[in-house]
Amino acid sequence: MQSYATPKSTMPPLPPRDALRLRHMLEAATKAVAYTHAHDRAVLDSDEMRALAVVRLLEIVGEAARAVTDSTRAQFPDVPWRQIEQIDRALTNQS
């Protein structure tokens, strides 16, 4: 009989707060993509509600990313942490 056990991960468990932040990042980014998929820039320029929603979702991604600990960031080296923070700073007018 074949076993379908889930393989053990070599990644250490994430702190619960970081896991929650990563989930918030994923959910907000997924919504932002859905709100902009198959639309060009003109749609965002003419649909203020959609544009404001996308900006807020990107702010959520940035806020959550800033709060992720360095140890968790190190476990996800493919995430462009610096670029996310730069976008967040630009959206929230932080220096």
Side-chain angles (χ1 to χ4, degrees), residues 44-85:
L44 286 178
D45 290 340
S46 64
D47 186 347
E48 183 179 26
M49 189 180 314
R50 182 185 305 266
L52 291 171
V54 170
V55 167
R56 180 62 190 131
L57 290 165
L58 293 174
E59 289 173 349
I60 291 168
V61 171
E63 290 168 5
R66 275 197 326 267
V68 172
T69 62
D70 290 340
S71 61
T72 295
R73 286 178 179 220
Q75 293 181 45
F76 297 93
D78 293 338
V79 174
W81 299 106
R82 186 176 308 247
Q83 291 90 340
I84 293 169
E85 289 178 1

